[in-house]
Amino acid sequence: RAVRGGVEVQNLGEVPAPLVLVDGFPHGPGALLHDDAFGLAPGETRLVGVEGEVSLASLSVRAWNADAVGVSA
């Protein structure tokens, strides 16, 4: 979900998500995504920082073992 300063990603499953990817980040001057590939343990939450004036509506998050989901407000 979109939060102030970035996107909060949580593994709601019962198994690890070994490769979580953030897709759809807009490219442009001053736009920076702090991390776009990482792993999450079951129940773990991670804040992925975002810098610049960008819309998070185009983002989706997927994992090696899970389908993509859109970022909600």
Side-chain angles (χ1 to χ4, degrees), residues 10-28:
Q10 183 177 17
N11 180 355
L12 299 174
E14 296 179 3
V15 298
L19 179 58
V20 179
L21 302 170
V22 179
D23 294 321
F25 189 75
H27 299 283

Side-chain angles (χ1 to χ4, degrees), residues 29-72:
L32 177 64
L33 182 65
H34 288 219
D35 201 357
D36 66 347
F38 49 90
L40 289 175
E44 184 179 2
T45 300
R46 182 177 189 139
L47 176 64
V48 178
V50 172
E51 291 183 32
E53 296 297 321
V54 297
S55 170
L56 301 180
S58 64
L59 294 183
S60 64
V61 178
R62 62 187 169 99
W64 174 77
N65 54 350
D67 294 332
V69 294
V71 173
S72 61

